[in-house]
Amino acid sequence: MKSFLSLGIGKSSAILEAPKPASGILPHQEEESLAYLWVELTKSEAGCCKILSEVRNYGEAVKDTQEAEEKLLKDLGASGLAAVSPQMQQATDEYLSVVMEMKAKSEETSSVVQQVMGDPVKQYHALYEPLDALRRRRDAQLVVVQKCQDKLDRLKLKGKRTTDVIVERDSAQRQLKEINGQLLTEAKKFHSMRQPLLQPCIQAYIQTLVDYYGTANSLFSNFIQTSRGAHQIKDAEYEATMGDHLRKIKSLKIVAT
């Protein structure tokens, strides 16, 4: 069974297939360590799935926001309001300049977020495939040991010679223990590598968001200050004018319905 990422982003029903229990065959401490480690691996994989889902959603949100801004400007132009109001025309032009400046930043942010978070998580998951192959080898060898033990038990019940079967079982158990030890070592290594890999990715992700929102805040703040200064509207007058417009909008039947 493949893991979360190979089955698709966000499918919480999928889980990493855990190694088969080998109670009474392998040392209890090793069994317990492997079981606990696999629970942690499962949690980490689930977390990575959520990260991939959020990265995808965030990229789409940035794109949708940009498209919504452009549509708003298009609707303002089609409304004809700018034709009867020089102030509206000037504000629309200034707003357009800000939105167009943000377009490149929006596209860059969507791309960079995928590069610094989405792609590394997917690439890291490729390391899980050899680990899962080792887990399958271990489970297959466990079946061999169990069959040998079953055969030995049947021979004992019948009072027949068991020497050859005991040798076969002991050999199979040694192979199982060797594979199980290798799986435990590789699983620990796989799990421990995740944080060092993701740490710089998360830092780059946060820096990208800071850059995006910092640019947006700077551009829109400058737009508001320039617009108010150009029109020489005081804060109190501006708020009163906007309040009047909002009251008129709310009184429209289309808003009421």
Side-chain angles (χ1 to χ4, degrees):
M1 181 177 182
K2 294 183 179 180
S3 79
F4 287 107
L5 306 184
S6 56
L7 290 169
I9 296 172
K11 293 186 178 181
S12 58
S13 59
I15 59 173
L16 298 180
E17 186 171 349
K20 296 182 183 300
S23 301
I25 299 176
L26 290 170
H28 174 71
Q29 187 175 0
E30 288 187 15
E31 273 286 277
E32 192 174 60
S33 296
L34 189 60
Y36 174 78
L37 182 56
W38 225 263
V39 169
E40 294 302 306
L41 283 174
T42 301
K43 290 179 181 178
S44 297
E45 287 290 281
C48 283
C49 277
K50 290 180 181 179
I51 288 174
L52 284 174
S53 180
E54 290 303 317
V55 166
R56 180 192 60 196
N57 292 339
Y58 181 77
E60 291 176 354
V62 170
K63 180 181 178 183
D64 291 345
T65 299
Q66 181 66 29
E67 290 177 352
E69 298 277 8
E70 293 177 15
K71 185 178 183 302
L72 176 57
L73 284 165
K74 183 178 179 181
D75 291 344
L76 282 173
S79 69
L81 292 174
V84 297
S85 173
Q87 291 88 351
M88 177 64 78
Q89 181 64 62
Q90 184 174 349
T92 301
D93 291 342
E94 292 168 355
Y95 186 20
L96 176 62
S97 67
V98 172
V99 171
M100 289 300 99
E101 282 192 60
M102 279 301 299
K103 186 177 180 65
K105 178 60 69 175
S106 296
E107 293 173 349
E108 177 189 350
T109 299
S110 295
S111 175
V112 170
V113 164
Q114 178 62 34
Q115 291 173 11
V116 301
M117 283 299 294
D119 293 343
V121 171
K122 289 181 180 178
Q123 291 166 2
Y124 177 79
H125 174 65
L127 300 175
Y128 172 75
E129 297 306 327
L131 183 66
D132 193 49
L134 185 58
R135 190 271 310 164
R136 292 193 298 270
R137 278 183 56 205
R138 180 257 189 202
D139 288 353
Q141 187 62 29
L142 175 61
V143 172
V144 172
V145 173
Q146 290 171 333
K147 286 182 177 179
C148 287
Q149 185 62 51
D150 290 342
K151 185 178 179 180
L152 178 61
D153 293 340
R154 288 195 300 270
L155 290 175
K156 285 181 178 179
L157 286 174
K158 295 178 180 179
K160 293 185 177 181
R161 185 170 177 270
T162 60
T163 304
D164 292 343
V165 180
I166 290 175
V167 172
E168 183 182 357
R169 183 203 60 185
D170 291 347
S171 175
Q173 282 183 331
R174 284 194 296 272
Q175 291 181 49
L176 173 61
K177 188 169 183 179
E178 181 181 343
I179 296 172
N180 189 74
Q182 186 180 356
L183 177 61
L184 188 57
T185 299
E186 292 300 320
K188 287 178 180 178
K189 186 186 300 182
F190 176 80
H191 190 49
S192 65
M193 285 173 61
R194 194 186 304 268
Q195 183 176 350
L197 173 80
L198 291 182
Q199 189 73 26
C201 296
I202 293 172
Q203 291 174 348
Y205 175 71
I206 294 173
Q207 184 59 50
T208 299
L209 301 191
V210 170
D211 184 42
Y212 172 74
Y213 288 112
T215 300
N217 182 65
S218 176
L219 288 173
F220 278 101
S221 295
N222 185 61
F223 159 60
I224 292 173
Q225 293 171 2
T226 302
S227 178
R228 288 190 183 183
H231 304 148
Q232 297 181 343
I233 300 176
K234 296 180 180 180
D235 288 347
E237 184 182 349
Y238 174 81
E239 290 174 3
T241 302
M242 291 303 297
D244 184 52
H245 288 322
L246 287 173
R247 283 191 294 274
K248 290 179 180 178
I249 291 172
K250 289 179 181 178
S251 68
L252 295 175
K253 290 183 179 180
I254 190 173
V255 176
T257 57

